[in-house]
């Protein structure tokens, strides 16, 4: 399965981002390499890493040794907020560690101080314009912080990666991203969710899947990018096995209602 066989969302610049990705937070060393290689073998075509994760070298090695073409794997990395003034140097180190000439998406990992926010965002835009990254965005930003970037530069972040899941569902926040043309990407989908909730177990039973698979499918059916993480081959495989079913409109409403709907 390649990127064109999976549900994707379109970012500016005709960049297609798979809605299901593989998160690598807390995976380091050989375990990170093994997990990413297993994910790619399973069919994932979207990898999420960051300078702070300390695993870019292992992620890059797994991509090279997977036998896949570089253009068939969507790679995201992130710059820490304390690298203001050293953004370009940080990205070049990420590219070197990953063994690539360009990443697909580069994010500001957390908002820097108010005075540093716009200068840092301008550096990401410059890197995009120099083709060091295909798209740029942010992570852990509020709507007002996104608006500040747009007002200062007239450039929307392509993506905002935030903590998300059914129990955190916020219809207004979801709409605010959509209205601004910013793709919502959720992390920690299981950590933020009670997988034993009867709504999830009931829907899971109706489809013959697990509650975790329902959570992932809920993101995909909302066109919200989701990046579950695991280093267990069985879990990596199960998390990817979500393309053979979808939730009904009523089921989507039931899951939405678990949060601030």
């Amino acid at each position: 399965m390649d990127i064109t066989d999976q549900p994707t969302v379109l970012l500016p610049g005709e960049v297609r981002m798979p809605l299901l990705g593989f998160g690598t937070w807390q995976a380091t060393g050989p375990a990170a390499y093994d997990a990413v290689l297993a994910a790619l073998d399973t069919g994932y075509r979207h990898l999420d890493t960051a300078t702070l994760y300390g695993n870019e070298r292992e992620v890059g090695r797994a991509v090279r040794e997977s036998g896949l073409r570089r253009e068939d794997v969507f790679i995201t990395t992130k710059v820490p907020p304390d690298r203001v003034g050293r953004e370009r140097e940080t990205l070049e180190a990420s590219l070197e560690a990953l063994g690539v000439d360009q990443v697909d998406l580069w994010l500001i990992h957390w908002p820097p101080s108010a005075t540093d926010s716009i200068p840092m965002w301008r550096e990401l835009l410059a890197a995009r314009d120099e083709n060091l990254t295909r798209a740029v965005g942010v992570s852990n930003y509020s709507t007002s912080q996104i608006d500040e970037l747009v007002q200062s530069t007239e450039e929307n972040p392509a993506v905002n990666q935030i903590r998300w899941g059914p129990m955190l569902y916020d219809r207004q926040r979801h709409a605010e991203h959509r209205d601004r043309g910013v793709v919502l990407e959720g992390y920690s989908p299981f950590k933020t969710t009670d997988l034993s909730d009867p709504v999830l177990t009931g829907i899971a039973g109706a489809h013959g899947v697990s509650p975790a698979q329902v959570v992932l499918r809920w993101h995909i059916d909302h066109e919200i990018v989701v990046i579950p993480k695991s280093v267990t081959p069985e879990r990596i495989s199960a998390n990817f096995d979500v393309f053979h079913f979808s939730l009904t409109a009523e089921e989507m409403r039931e899951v939405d209602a678990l949060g601030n709907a």
Side-chain angles (χ1 to χ4, degrees):
M1 182 180 274
D2 64 27
I3 283 178
T4 58
D5 296 322
Q6 299 180 25
T8 59
V9 63
L10 190 62
L11 306 183
E14 298 299 308
V15 177
R16 289 220 158 264
M17 181 182 193
L19 284 168
L20 179 63
F22 184 71
T24 65
W25 179 52
Q26 293 181 319
T28 56
Y33 165 78
D34 290 342
V36 172
L37 195 57
L40 293 171
D41 285 346
T42 298
Y44 291 84
R45 295 295 178 262
H46 168 188
L47 304 173
D48 181 87
T49 183
T51 294
L52 288 174
Y53 297 171
N55 62 15
E56 289 172 317
R57 205 162 293 280
E58 288 79 10
V59 170
R61 182 177 151 226
V63 171
R64 286 193 303 279
E65 296 185 8
S66 69
L68 294 165
R69 299 179 305 167
R70 167 66 189 95
E71 59 265 32
D72 289 334
V73 183
F74 186 101
I75 300 174
T76 299
T77 194
K78 311 177 194 80
V79 57
D82 63 358
R83 300 294 179 93
V84 173
R86 294 181 291 148
E87 296 89 352
R88 178 65 176 263
E89 165 194 334
T90 302
L91 179 56
E92 287 175 350
S94 289
L95 296 174
E96 190 276 326
L98 288 162
V100 298
D101 297 326
Q102 177 190 61
V103 289
D104 298 285
L105 179 63
W106 194 32
L107 306 178
I108 301 175
H109 205 151
W110 292 88
S113 69
T115 54
D116 291 332
S117 188
I118 303 305
M120 188 169 229
W121 178 234
R122 290 191 190 281
E123 287 300 316
L124 266 74
L125 295 172
R128 181 203 60 193
D129 292 345
E130 292 175 47
N131 293 317
L132 297 175
T133 179
R134 297 171 70 209
V136 289
V138 295
S139 183
N140 301 299
Y141 271 57
S142 67
T143 301
S144 62
Q145 288 169 325
I146 289 173
D147 286 344
E148 183 188 353
L149 301 184
V150 177
Q151 286 159 9
S152 297
T153 64
E154 297 186 349
E155 291 266 17
N156 287 17
V159 171
N160 185 24
Q161 185 184 115
I162 58 176
R163 196 172 168 91
W164 196 257
M167 273 63 178
L168 297 178
Y169 185 67
D170 182 330
R171 189 183 305 281
Q172 181 178 341
R173 192 149 195 226
H174 187 194
E176 286 169 352
H177 283 78
R178 199 167 48 238
D179 293 347
R180 287 159 176 76
V182 178
V183 171
L184 178 55
E185 178 176 12
Y187 66 82
S188 296
F190 306 137
K191 191 173 285 189
T192 59
T193 302
D194 176 7
L195 294 175
S196 65
D197 186 280
V199 169
L200 298 177
T201 58
I203 294 172
H207 291 279
V209 298
S210 71
Q213 289 169 317
V214 170
V215 168
L216 296 176
R217 188 69 224 190
W218 170 80
H219 283 78
I220 291 167
D221 286 342
H222 263 313
E223 295 197 324
I224 293 171
V225 179
V226 62
I227 47 171
K229 65 183 182 67
S230 178
V231 294
T232 310
E234 296 78 15
R235 186 71 58 78
I236 290 169
S237 180
N239 288 344
F240 187 74
D241 187 19
V242 293
F243 298 117
H244 63 287
F245 76 102
S246 60
L247 305 187
T248 66
E250 178 57 31
E251 288 169 339
M252 291 292 286
R253 284 193 291 272
E254 288 176 17
V255 179
D256 288 356
L258 295 174
N260 176 24

